[in-house]
């Protein structure tokens, strides 16, 4: 069978991405000349750089990150619960990229200029580009947590972005017997919607063994949360009386945090913690704002068909930083978007119309090492429109906390780590 590049890309935008990649595509001079730069060595950035290289090996791709290594959040709740080491979250960036013929450069991207399109690094270097793909992750809205600021997170960790999982794990391990861990969960949208509740579950698994009278209080800015029925059923079964979830409806909004006293003041009450984990409200990584790509919501506004910014042509944004219809912000979603974005960028470099992507998110949460729950969403375009909608969704039923799902979750972790960092 002869496969045209158009057929090839068509296959690639759907679930046949991997099988399509086994075939050798034809070479195109337009792709050979293209200068594609990816910013961000996380789940979105690495996967889009690799997908472009797989689809168009002739296309030169440079990936820039501010660091030589990447600290994963995926799997960090296992570290916080004492089930994995902090070191296991570290991923080396340069060698896997070199193996895929992707140029890696360390640098802090600070701005872009147009006509001609150039990327500017903090050290003064400039790099010309034809297509720029950003996956800069998230930043915190410290201004929305009175009493807290970035510098205090050394004592009151968020553990929601690079490098604090070990610190929170240490504090939990050294908490007094019968003490209280408070986790504050932010308003939507934010990175990994089930993250705070998986964290509570895994810490409860630790407390059950080492600090059985300890309590976990979740002070939530929301009135419901992801996989709520399955989490609640699991907590009743495995951690009765240990985890208490307090919704926005019960205690109102957070007023302020008294950091020295580790006390959270809500509208109607105050709660004192032995260990305090404030997960602040979030917005796109600062780069989105610096490049003028964010809207009033604080997230990057993109066309979900191509991931191209609605504010700047030829700049695409994927992963947590972007609003991609109703898709949640997860590593799985970032990888799915990365693959679809690779197809969109190649189509556009070839002067061809976009191909409609079908996107999937599947997200596991551990209850303990033996039990996990999951949620799946399939996203596509409303007929005849540019609007990305949820086509179908499903989650673990509350009564079905399976060991099978924990094994599947482990298998998926290994697969995405291999595909992203291998
Ligand atoms: C506790 C927790 C548990 C999670 N568990 C799961 C899970 O089970 N499953 C799942 O699918 N997802 C999970 N996630 C979510 C997942 O970690 C994120 O969705 C994913 O990392 C998003 O990828 P990204 O590429 O958008 O951003 P990131 O992975 O944050 O990568 C951003 C990269 O951009 C770089 N960067 C930013 N700005 C610049 C700049 N100006 N110049 C140069 N480089 C820059 C940063 O250094 C970083 O390397 C979890 C998250 C948390 C917090």
């Amino acid at each position: 069978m002869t496969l045209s590049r158009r057929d090839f890309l068509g296959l690639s935008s759907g679930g046949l991405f991997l099988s399509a990649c086994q075939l050798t595509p034809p070479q195109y001079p337009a792709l050979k000349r293209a200068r594609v730069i990816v910013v961000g060595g996380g789940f979105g950035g690495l996967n889009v750089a690799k997908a472009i290289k797989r689809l168009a090996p002739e296309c030169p791709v440079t990936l820039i990150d501010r660091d030589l290594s990447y600290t994963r959040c995926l799997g960090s709740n296992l570290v916080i619960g004492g089930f994995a080491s902090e070191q296991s979250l570290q991923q080396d960036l340069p060698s896997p990229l070199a193996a895929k013929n992707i140029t890696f450069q360390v640098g802090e991207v600070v701005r872009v200029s147009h006509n001609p399109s150039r990327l500017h690094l903090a050290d003064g270097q400039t790099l010309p580009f034809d297509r720029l793909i950003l996956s800069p992750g998230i930043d915190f809205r410290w201004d929305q947590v009175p009493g807290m600021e970035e510098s205090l997170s050394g004592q009151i960790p968020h553990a929601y972005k690079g490098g604090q999982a070990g610190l929170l794990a240490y504090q939990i391990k050294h908490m007094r017997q019968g003490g209280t861990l408070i986790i504050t969960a932010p308003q939507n949208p934010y990175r990994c919607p089930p993250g705070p509740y998986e964290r509570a579950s895994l810490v409860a698994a630790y407390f059950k063994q080492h600090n059985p009278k300890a309590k976990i209080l979740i002070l939530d800015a929301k009135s419901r949360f992801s996989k709520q029925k399955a989490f609640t059923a699991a907590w009743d079964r495995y951690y009765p009386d240990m985890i208490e979830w307090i919704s926005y409806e019960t205690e109102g909004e957070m007023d302020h945090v008294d950091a020295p006293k580790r006390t959270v003041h809500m509208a109607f009450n105050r709660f004192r913690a032995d260990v305090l984990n404030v997960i602040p409200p979030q917005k796109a990584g600062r780069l989105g704002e610096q490049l003028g790509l964010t809207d009033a919501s604080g997230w990057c506004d993109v066309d979900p068909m191509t991931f191209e910014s609605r504010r700047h042509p030829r700049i695409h944004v994927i992963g947590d930083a972007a609003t991609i219809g109703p898709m949640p912000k997860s590593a799985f979603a970032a990888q799915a978007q990365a693959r679809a974005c690779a197809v969109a960028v190649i189509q556009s470099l070839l002067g061809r119309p976009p191909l409609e992507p079908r996107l999937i998110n599947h997200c596991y949460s551990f209850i303990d090492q033996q039990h996990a729950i999951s949620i799946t969403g399939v996203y596509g375009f409303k007929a005849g429109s540019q609007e990305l909608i949820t086509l179908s969704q499903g989650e673990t039923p509350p009564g079905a906390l399976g060991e099978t799902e924990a094994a599947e979750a482990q298998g998926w972790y290994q697969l995405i780590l291999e595909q992203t960092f291998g």
Side-chain angles (χ1 to χ4, degrees), residues 85-142:
S85 74
E86 191 180 11
Q87 290 71 25
S88 67
L89 301 176
Q90 286 294 321
Q91 306 286 166
D92 172 51
L93 290 178
S95 10
L97 289 171
K100 306 282 185 228
N101 210 11
I102 296 165
T103 307
F104 177 67
Q105 185 162 346
V106 180
E108 174 85 22
V109 176
V110 287
R111 70 182 181 94
V112 286
S113 50
H114 303 282
N115 305 318
S117 302
R118 286 182 187 280
L119 191 66
H120 297 254
L121 304 186
D123 65 5
Q125 278 190 74
T126 61
L127 303 169
F129 67 85
D130 296 300
R131 291 294 181 286
L132 178 61
I133 307 166
L134 310 175
S135 192
I138 55 143
D139 262 302
F140 297 119
R141 293 174 176 272
W142 291 109

Side-chain angles (χ1 to χ4, degrees), residues 12 45 54 91 102 104 134 151 171 180 185 190 195 197 199 201 234 318 342 402 417:
S12 308
R54 263 190 252 158
Q91 306 286 166
I102 296 165
F104 177 67
L134 310 175
S151 62
Q171 293 186 355
T180 301
Y190 65 99
Y197 317 98
R199 178 170 293 178
S201 308
I318 55 172
L417 294 186

Side-chain angles (χ1 to χ4, degrees), residues 50-301:
K50 287 184 173 186
I52 291 175
K53 268 296 180 191
R54 263 190 252 158
L55 293 167
E58 72 271 41
C59 184
V61 179
T62 298
L63 187 141
I64 302 175
D65 197 287
R66 54 163 73 102
D67 291 317
L68 274 169
S69 67
Y70 170 78
T71 307
R72 271 190 283 125
C73 286
L74 176 74
S76 62
N77 283 335
L78 287 164
V79 173
I80 294 165
F83 300 106
S85 74
E86 191 180 11
Q87 290 71 25
S88 67
L89 301 176
Q90 286 294 321
Q91 306 286 166
D92 172 51
L93 290 178
S95 10
L97 289 171
K100 306 282 185 228
N101 210 11
I102 296 165
T103 307
F104 177 67
Q105 185 162 346
V106 180
E108 174 85 22
V109 176
V110 287
R111 70 182 181 94
V112 286
S113 50
H114 303 282
N115 305 318
S117 302
R118 286 182 187 280
L119 191 66
H120 297 254
L121 304 186
D123 65 5
Q125 278 190 74
T126 61
L127 303 169
F129 67 85
D130 296 300
R131 291 294 181 286
L132 178 61
I133 307 166
L134 310 175
S135 192
I138 55 143
D139 262 302
F140 297 119
R141 293 174 176 272
W142 291 109
D143 56 321
Q144 293 187 4
V145 194
M148 277 296 294
E149 55 188 62
E150 179 111 50
S151 62
L152 291 172
S153 72
Q155 292 116 56
I156 299 176
H158 49 75
Y160 230 70
K161 168 178 148 148
Q164 289 197 340
L167 174 62
L168 185 55
Y170 178 89
Q171 293 186 355
I172 285 166
K173 198 169 165 191
H174 293 88
M175 191 175 91
R176 73 173 173 89
Q177 287 294 310
T180 301
L181 162 70
I182 294 182
I183 300 173
T184 72
Q187 186 52 268
N188 290 320
Y190 65 99
R191 157 175 286 181
C192 193
Y197 317 98
E198 179 191 57
R199 178 170 293 178
S201 308
L202 289 170
V203 174
Y206 174 84
F207 282 159
K208 211 169 151 178
Q209 294 285 318
H210 303 281
N211 194 345
K213 295 214 161 79
K215 298 270 181 239
I216 301 170
L217 220 59
I218 305 170
L219 297 176
D220 211 321
K222 304 178 287 300
S223 46
R224 55 196 174 92
F225 61 90
S226 175
K227 306 180 205 170
Q228 183 164 357
K229 285 190 181 144
F231 270 120
T232 311
W235 296 344
D236 287 347
R237 189 186 302 180
Y238 296 108
Y239 314 118
D241 303 325
M242 189 174 265
I243 301 177
E244 188 180 356
W245 175 70
I246 300 181
S247 88
Y248 160 81
E249 275 159 1
T250 318
E251 290 298 345
E253 282 181 16
M254 185 196 290
D255 185 73
H256 71 280
V257 173
D258 182 339
K261 293 189 177 148
R262 287 199 161 73
T263 300
V264 184
H265 293 250
M266 306 298 287
F268 309 127
N269 221 330
R270 61 170 184 243
F271 299 88
R272 189 171 174 353
D274 293 280
V275 174
L276 180 53
N277 172 212
V278 172
I279 304 173
Q282 296 165 25
K283 59 182 180 179
R286 190 155 52 101
L287 186 61
E289 210 171 292
Q290 284 171 317
L291 270 50
L293 304 174
T294 50
D295 60 20
S297 71
W299 302 98
C300 298
D301 181 22

